[in-house]
């Protein structure tokens, strides 16, 4: 006997032939943890040289590693979610007027009411991925 669907409707979306693609997740490269490791080695050298107060500096690589693991942008056909260290902001694609790139490498989404949100880890190179995930709402600059 197949497992029952979790929803209260008794109908599973896969049974109806509805095929929803998985959302696109854009993250900071896990290779950045290697840089955090080297930073930790440098801080350990400082702790060895100045053991009285410098042990509190070990919090810096711990926070850096947490930022690498937490920051991401999740996009699908209907919405985009920007996740930072302390909060997540979900915005439907219809509320996004456009994307812009400033001196920082991450994209900023300009909303229709005038404010902006930063899309962590979204760079100019990842725009083709966003084009596919947003169903063409983000133009592909390489075509």
């Amino acid at each position: 006997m197949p497992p029952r669907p979790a929803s209260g409707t008794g109908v599973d979306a896969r049974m109806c032939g509805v095929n929803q693609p998985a959302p696109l997740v854009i993250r900071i490269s896990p290779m950045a943890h290697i840089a955090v490791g080297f930073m930790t080695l440098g801080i350990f050298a400082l702790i060895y040289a100045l053991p009285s107060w410098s042990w509190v500096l070990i919090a810096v690589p711990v926070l850096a590693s947490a930022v690498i693991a937490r920051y991401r942008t999740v996009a699908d056909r209907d919405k985009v979610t920007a996740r930072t260290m302390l909060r997540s902001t979900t915005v439907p694609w219809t509320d996004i007027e456009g994307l812009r790139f400033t001196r920082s490498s991450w994209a900023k989404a300009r909303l229709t009411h005038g404010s902006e949100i930063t899309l962590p880890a979204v760079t100019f190179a990842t725009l083709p991925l966003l084009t596919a995930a947003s169903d063409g709402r983000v133009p592909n600059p390489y075509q």
Side-chain angles (χ1 to χ4, degrees):
M1 175 184 261
R4 299 189 68 151
S7 68
T9 62
V11 177
D12 191 358
R14 293 172 296 200
M15 295 169 150
C16 296
V18 177
N19 186 12
Q20 293 185 351
L24 171 70
V25 179
I26 302 172
R27 300 177 182 175
I28 300 173
S29 172
M31 295 294 289
H33 288 290
I34 292 175
V36 171
F38 283 116
M39 180 173 48
T40 304
L41 288 176
I43 288 175
F44 279 150
L46 187 61
I47 290 171
Y48 182 72
L50 304 167
S52 62
W53 61 269
S54 59
W55 60 271
V56 296
L57 293 177
I58 201 66
V60 173
V62 170
L63 286 174
S65 188
V67 164
I68 293 167
R70 174 100 174 125
Y71 275 45
R72 69 185 64 175
T73 299
V74 181
D76 61 17
R77 284 185 44 216
D78 304 318
K79 64 188 177 302
V80 63
T81 301
R83 190 165 110 176
T84 60
M85 200 58 190
L86 299 176
R87 67 178 184 169
S88 294
T89 306
T90 301
V91 179
W93 284 112
T94 55
D95 289 352
I96 296 179
E97 192 173 277
L99 300 179
R100 72 181 184 98
F101 293 89
T102 59
R103 290 182 181 244
S104 71
S105 60
W106 292 348
K108 292 190 181 291
R110 180 168 295 152
L111 305 179
T112 54
H113 56 78
S115 66
E116 289 185 342
I117 60 169
T118 301
L119 301 177
V122 173
T123 61
F124 199 75
T126 60
L127 285 180
L129 298 173
L130 274 181
T131 300
S134 69
D135 205 20
R137 291 186 174 121
V138 175
N140 185 351
Y142 298 108
Q143 288 183 344

